Amino acid sequence: MADLLIRDIDPELKRRIEMRAQETDISLSDAAKLLIRRGLAAGETPRRLGTELFALVPPEHRVDLDCEIPDVASEPPDFS
């Protein structure tokens, strides 16, 4: 694994990372790596709502839905 040294970090930022590490019971280094990973992931293209909802359904409960519109349109109903 490679090392990364960050110089001249704002004391308040360091304190917040230390607090996050204590809250989650992980090392300061692991907390910083986790925050960097999350920060980089936030810049990625988000998944769309349908994809998020689809991911919530276990594979054994998923079904294919046929939502195609037929080629021949039916006549609209007459309500008169």
Side-chain angles (χ1 to χ4, degrees):
M1 288 254 167
D3 290 336
L4 173 68
L5 172 65
I6 302 175
R7 297 181 193 275
D8 300 323
I9 189 168
D10 178 42
E12 176 61 19
L13 177 59
K14 183 179 181 219
R15 186 189 67 75
R16 290 177 62 194
I17 297 171
E18 288 171 334
M19 288 181 62
R20 180 74 60 96
Q22 290 173 356
E23 290 169 359
T24 55
D25 197 31
I26 60 176
S27 70
L28 178 61
S29 179
D30 286 342
K33 288 187 281 189
L34 181 61
L35 291 169
I36 291 169
R37 268 192 214 98
R38 286 182 183 164
L40 291 173
E44 296 174 359
T45 305
R47 295 192 315 181
R48 302 189 69 159
L49 180 59
T51 305
E52 291 291 333
L53 293 174
F54 182 79
L56 294 174
V57 179
E60 63 271 13
H61 296 280
R62 295 178 188 159
V63 296
D64 289 332
L65 299 175
D66 186 10
C67 298
E68 293 184 19
I69 299 173
D71 291 337
V72 180
S74 60
E75 291 293 319
D78 182 12
F79 294 108
S80 55

